[in-house]
């Protein structure tokens, strides 16, 4: 096994050696950190990685499941080219109000759209209105019990060679704890097993932050 044990000092070094964040993001991180549910935000370095990935695959149309206060939305949105768009789904008008404010401050008002409502319903509507193969990148980061549905509908919405990113797949290590049988943990186990066996995709599981599945729909 070849890994570097992560300490606060190593993490600080890592973050300092990445391209600096857009100026609005440190403020958004600080504001989100004051909330009791701050742990929902993806890690700072994960956002930088996802911004790079958007650019690397030339994504123009991104769908996000789980907006929260908008950190991941902004990181991905800032990687879009002119004419690109990011649609983010959530059920919470309060946190997405913060996201809207910071999307605007990041200059992403025109490229972004937040759709409120249960994401399964929103995705079904997108399938009807936009059709299959209409997104280049889909980021799944909402309620774990629905990951299986987000994945199946997402695969239809995703173009061949497009990428699904699924967050929290290592679940703070609880994914391998036999004593943990909570619905979220069980749902993540089922989801990981489905992806592993799915011949429609190729997948790598990154030990980035809480575990990030990077899943390419075969061409
Ligand atoms: C982990 S947070 C997303 C974090 C975000 N990606 C970020 O980096 O800041 C999960 C979000 O999913 C939303 N959510 C939970 N259940 C949902 C559902 N059924 N449909 C849509 N969004 C949902 C929650 O309101 C919450 O904002």
């Amino acid at each position: 096994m070849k890994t570097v044990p992560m300490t606060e000092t190593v993490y600080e070094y890592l973050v300092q050696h990445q391209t600096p964040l857009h100026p609005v993001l440190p403020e958004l991180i600080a504001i989100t950190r004051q909330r009791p549910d701050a742990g929902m935000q993806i890690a700072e370095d994960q956002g930088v990685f996802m911004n790079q990935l958007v650019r690397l695959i030339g994504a123009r149309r991104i769908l996000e499941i789980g907006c929260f206060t908008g950190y991941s939305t902004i990181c991905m949105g800032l990687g879009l080219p002119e004419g690109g768009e990011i649609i983010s789904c959530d059920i919470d008008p309060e946190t997405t109000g913060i996201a809207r404010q910071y999307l605007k401050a990041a200059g992403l008002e025109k490229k972004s759209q937040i759709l409120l409502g249960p994401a399964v319903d929103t995705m079904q509507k997108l399938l009807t209105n936009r059709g299959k193969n209409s997104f280049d990148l889909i980021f799944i980061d909402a309620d774990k019990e629905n990951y299986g549905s987000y994945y199946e509908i997402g695969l239809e919405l995703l173009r061949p060679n497009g990428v699904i990113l699924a967050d929290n797949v290592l679940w703070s290590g609880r994914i391998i704890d036999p004593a943990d049988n909570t619905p979220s943990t069980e749902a993540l186990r089922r989801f990981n097993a489905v992806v592993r066996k799915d011949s429609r995709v190729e997948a790598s599981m990154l030990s980035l932050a809480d575990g990030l599945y990077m899943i390419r729909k075969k061409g």
Side-chain angles (χ1 to χ4, degrees):
M1 189 173 66
K2 194 168 178 179
T3 59
V4 176
M6 194 50 69
T7 62
E8 288 212 4
T9 324
V10 174
Y11 188 71
E12 205 173 300
Y13 177 90
L14 180 156
V15 167
Q16 280 170 1
H17 287 79
Q18 299 198 118
T19 302
L21 297 172
H22 184 283
V24 304
L25 289 172
E27 188 183 309
L28 174 59
I29 289 171
I31 279 184
T32 303
R33 211 167 268 159
Q34 290 166 12
R35 301 176 56 87
D37 53 2
M40 295 224 279
Q41 182 174 79
I42 62 161
E44 184 175 332
D45 56 323
Q46 184 178 341
V48 178
F49 169 77
M50 285 165 46
N51 175 282
Q52 284 269 54
L53 187 71
V54 169
R55 296 174 194 272
L56 283 168
I57 69 167
R60 299 183 64 83
R61 293 149 307 165
I62 303 173
L63 176 62
E64 175 177 67
I65 316 300
C67 177
F68 189 44
T69 58
Y71 178 71
S72 52
T73 326
I74 295 172
C75 287
M76 290 189 287
L78 288 171
L80 285 168
E82 204 53 50
E85 68 165 331
I86 180 161
I87 295 177
S88 189
C89 308
D90 209 293
I91 47 172
D92 188 334
E94 194 238 321
T95 52
T96 53
I98 301 171
R100 281 182 216 280
Q101 184 190 333
Y102 281 87
L103 280 160
K104 188 174 176 190
L108 289 169
E109 203 179 13
K110 290 202 178 116
K111 285 182 178 171
S112 62
Q113 216 184 323
I114 295 172
L115 300 180
L116 280 181
V120 167
D121 297 349
T122 305
M123 291 174 87
Q124 295 285 11
K125 280 183 203 148
L126 287 170
L127 203 48
T128 306
N129 299 337
R130 302 246 179 162
K132 293 184 177 187
N133 307 330
S134 51
F135 289 89
D136 305 301
L137 177 66
I138 298 178
F139 178 45
I140 300 176
D141 187 23
D143 52 320
K144 309 311 159 196
E145 288 85 344
N146 274 318
Y147 264 38
S149 304
Y150 298 147
Y151 177 65
E152 285 304 330
I153 312 170
L155 271 180
E156 290 196 70
L157 285 166
L158 191 70
R159 68 155 163 88
N161 279 317
V163 174
I164 291 180
L165 295 174
D167 202 27
N168 309 112
V169 290
L170 293 176
W171 209 219
S172 309
R174 281 176 279 155
I175 201 76
I176 55 148
D177 178 358
D180 188 335
N181 298 310
T182 56
S184 301
T185 308
E186 293 285 12
L188 282 168
R189 284 187 191 124
R190 279 196 303 278
F191 169 72
N192 289 348
V194 165
V195 174
R196 170 67 186 85
K197 288 191 192 130
D198 192 346
S199 61
R200 297 171 294 178
V201 301
E202 282 177 349
S204 54
M205 193 181 274
L206 307 177
S207 64
L208 175 61
D210 198 23
L212 184 69
Y213 234 150
M214 186 160 64
I215 304 160
R216 183 179 64 83
K217 179 175 166 180
K218 287 182 187 169

